[in-house]
Amino acid sequence: MKLVFVGLLAFFVSTVFAQKRPNILFCIADDWGKHAGVYGDKVVQTPNFDRLAKEGVLFTNAFCGSPSCTPSRATILTGRYPHQNEESGNLWSTLQIKLPNYAQLLAQHGYHVGLERKGWGPGNFKVGGYEQNPAGKGYQNFDEFLAKRPQGQPFCYWFGSQDPHRDYVKGTGKAAGLNPQQVRVPAYWPDQLEVREDILDYYYEVQRFDQEVGALIKKLEAIGELENTFIVVTSDNGMPFPRAKANIYDAGTNLPLVFYWKNQLSPRKTDTFMSFVDFAPTFLEVAGVPIPNMVTGKSLMPLLQGKSQVHRKEVFLERERHANVRRGDRSYPIRAIRNTDYLYIQNLSPDQWPAGDPQLYFAVGPYGDVDPSPTKKLVLSDTVAYAKYYQLIFAKRPAEELYDLRKDPEQLKNVAQSPAYQKEKSKLKAQLEQWRKDTQDPRMAGKQPFESYPYYGNNAATEKMKN
């Protein structure tokens, strides 16, 4: 009788604990740069993101691990830098099941875990030992996911929109009432109507993502779960435009991010740095699940709960092979460090074309690391008239780049060889190389495994818009 009582008591305690553990709703856009009303963009309309930002914790210095879908999403799941995730440092790769994965760990600790639309990827997860997407079991929508949820069980839901990934329906932004004359065109693109309207079509899909986030919040309110749900809204990498996505510059790596937990987090905007390696340990701490030693990132909870004001003083960035667009399946490896004042970049293969070979090799097309778009087409239509933009976007780059962000926020003038910056460059270089040693970057030992990993994407004809 006593054993029965103890068993019932344990069941009751575990059930109550499960009910008290917060749900986690992770909303991730596909190729959304830092464009939202709350960030000062006067054209795009993002009322739901803005509402969460005003009532939650808004980051201005959130940086992805890599400006490419597959490695960025792997970093989110594992809490490890792209070069630590083996094959998943590349686009169209696999993710090894031996690596830590917060979604799996939450499922093992009593969470109902699921995925809608795009999770980890693109790639072949089965090769890595998974039977389903590493971000969770797929569901058609949030309603189906909730219907399959065992009563009282906390949930972790990954909402992976395909917006604002290309391609776009031309004219949708303008048709939605967005004014091309109000668009701010970055200095690294020609200020032409084609570019302005291209940006508007991107904004249209950003707004569609925001609307879907709003629908998820309304559902949580309707079922009485909003107060017990830890909500995160972000993107995987920068906008699918030249010199943004697949690039280490801010347009490719500095992303929108808000954390919201009703009545649990004090509303504020923070300029402290965070890296996407910090998502996994944060989710695990929120859920009360032990953080594996293999996780490189650190939990944001002390910052989110107001126990600290500084999370990181700098972030480390990188990329390897994006699309398969260079002869010999070669990568374009980059390592970089970004702090408040500077961005220092090491292009480890400066002999390669940063945007891909000028001629079609296997996937996407010429300069294939830049998605096909009206903006790309315009610059390539007349490389003499648009020579300045061609140099910034497509031309080969030196082994080192250094940008003084106080004077040059758009990272247009490389001062790496300027005598006035040598002391600062040496300091940043030492920090970057120490990080590479500490995290066992294989390229520090002269290894180049990323070129040898299989590329699971299709050829150019069928892959054009899938990465």
Side-chain angles (χ1 to χ4, degrees):
M1 184 71 179
K2 184 177 180 180
L3 289 175
V4 173
F5 174 75
V6 170
L8 289 172
L9 179 61
F11 174 77
F12 175 78
V13 170
S14 65
T15 301
V16 170
F17 177 68
Q19 290 175 336
K20 287 185 177 180
R21 286 190 292 172
N23 308 310
I24 298 172
L25 173 62
F26 183 65
C27 303
I28 180 169
D30 195 355
D31 298 358
W32 178 28
K34 206 169 73 176
H35 300 104
V38 74
Y39 287 122
D41 194 303
K42 299 184 184 303
V43 180
V44 68
Q45 303 296 309
T46 53
N48 297 295
F49 183 83
D50 295 354
R51 170 199 163 187
L52 294 177
K54 290 173 183 176
E55 299 176 11
V57 180
L58 178 71
F59 282 75
T60 61
N61 282 316
F63 286 81
C64 59
S66 178
S68 176
C69 294
T70 310
S72 177
R73 291 161 185 262
T75 288
I76 291 168
L77 287 167
T78 66
R80 291 164 59 85
Y81 289 104
H83 68 260
Q84 297 179 311
N85 286 330
E86 300 178 2
E87 292 99 323
S88 209
N90 285 346
L91 185 76
W92 279 105
S93 57
T94 191
L95 182 62
Q96 294 294 335
I97 200 168
K98 66 183 180 182
L99 297 173
N101 178 338
Y102 83 78
Q104 276 196 314
L105 290 167
L106 292 181
Q108 292 166 9
H109 285 80
Y111 269 73
H112 177 50
V113 177
L115 155 73
E116 179 181 343
R117 303 185 206 172
K118 185 173 180 177
W120 170 86
N124 186 332
F125 56 77
K126 292 183 178 180
V127 176
Y130 282 92
E131 295 181 359
Q132 60 188 22
N133 192 286
K137 181 181 178 181
Y139 291 86
Q140 289 295 315
N141 50 51
F142 197 34
D143 287 336
E144 182 190 7
F145 171 77
L146 292 173
K148 299 291 178 66
R149 171 195 182 193
Q151 186 174 2
Q153 191 172 17
F155 66 78
C156 177
Y157 192 64
W158 174 303
F159 172 68
S161 173
Q162 279 92 2
D163 289 334
H165 196 291
R166 292 187 186 271
D167 53 3
Y168 302 146
V169 177
K170 188 173 176 58
T172 49
K174 196 172 180 179
L178 302 180
N179 186 348
Q181 299 308 316
Q182 295 177 339
V183 170
R184 191 191 76 80
V185 179
Y188 37 82
W189 304 332
D191 189 354
Q192 300 291 338
L193 184 60
E194 297 100 306
V195 176
R196 288 176 172 270
E197 293 186 347
D198 198 14
I199 295 171
L200 290 190
D201 293 342
Y202 156 79
Y203 280 167
Y204 172 80
E205 295 206 357
V206 171
Q207 293 184 170
R208 188 164 61 187
F209 168 71
D210 185 77
Q211 292 164 5
E212 291 189 301
V213 170
L216 292 169
I217 295 169
K218 285 184 179 179
K219 182 66 177 181
L220 290 172
E221 291 175 322
I223 63 175
E225 290 280 8
L226 182 61
E227 291 191 7
N228 193 42
T229 302
F230 186 74
I231 301 174
V232 181
V233 184
T234 191
S235 176
D236 56 356
N237 50 249
M239 62 195 300
F241 280 72
R243 216 170 190 266
K245 178 180 176 180
N247 284 268
I248 296 296
Y249 309 118
D250 281 7
T253 58
N254 185 197
L255 302 178
L257 173 63
V258 66
F259 287 85
Y260 173 90
W261 192 1
K262 190 172 183 179
N263 301 325
Q264 299 293 323
L265 304 181
S266 298
R268 66 191 185 282
K269 180 190 288 187
T270 178
D271 295 329
T272 193
F273 285 81
M274 74 80 65
S275 167
F276 276 23
V277 295
D278 301 327
F279 278 128
T282 301
F283 294 153
L284 293 173
E285 182 172 345
V286 165
V289 175
I291 300 170
N293 292 332
M294 288 178 70
V295 169
T296 306
K298 57 182 181 178
S299 173
L300 287 153
M301 288 311 295
L303 175 82
L304 296 176
Q305 294 174 331
K307 297 176 182 177
S308 68
Q309 297 302 312
V310 178
H311 182 67
R312 293 181 183 274
K313 294 181 180 180
E314 67 280 312
V315 287
F316 298 95
L317 310 165
E318 63 182 285
R319 64 149 282 178
E320 283 291 343
R321 190 175 64 205
H322 186 62
N324 194 345
V325 294
R326 294 173 190 83
R327 191 161 300 281
D329 303 346
R330 291 191 65 183
S331 177
Y332 190 80
I334 301 176
R335 302 293 185 265
I337 179 172
R338 166 71 154 84
N339 61 27
T340 301
D341 296 330
Y342 295 99
L343 171 64
Y344 170 68
I345 298 172
Q346 290 182 344
N347 297 307
L348 303 182
S349 295
D351 59 308
Q352 294 290 302
W353 294 92
D357 288 348
Q359 303 82 28
L360 169 65
Y361 168 60
F362 177 79
V364 185
Y367 301 111
D369 274 352
V370 179
D371 288 3
S373 69
T375 301
K376 176 181 179 179
K377 183 178 180 180
L378 178 66
V379 175
L380 291 178
S381 69
D382 191 338
T383 57
V384 175
Y386 297 118
K388 176 177 74 171
Y389 306 104
Y390 175 87
Q391 288 295 319
L392 288 169
I393 296 166
F394 301 109
K396 291 183 179 181
R397 296 169 184 167
E400 292 182 301
E401 297 176 70
L402 177 64
Y403 298 95
D404 184 340
L405 304 176
R406 299 163 300 182
K407 300 177 181 179
D408 181 22
E410 290 189 298
Q411 297 122 53
L412 302 173
K413 183 179 180 181
N414 179 16
V415 296
Q417 301 307 316
S418 171
Y421 289 94
Q422 293 313 297
K423 183 177 179 180
E424 192 61 43
K425 187 180 80 169
S426 296
K427 179 182 175 182
L428 292 166
K429 183 176 182 179
Q431 285 183 274
L432 179 60
E433 294 187 354
Q434 186 61 53
W435 168 75
R436 294 180 64 192
K437 291 176 183 176
D438 292 344
T439 56
Q440 298 181 315
D441 183 350
R443 288 193 181 272
M444 286 294 285
K447 299 178 182 178
Q448 298 185 9
F450 301 98
E451 275 84 356
S452 63
Y453 292 138
Y455 182 84
Y456 295 106
N458 297 319
N459 62 26
T462 56
E463 189 209 6
K464 181 180 178 183
M465 302 312 302
K466 290 184 180 179
N467 63 358

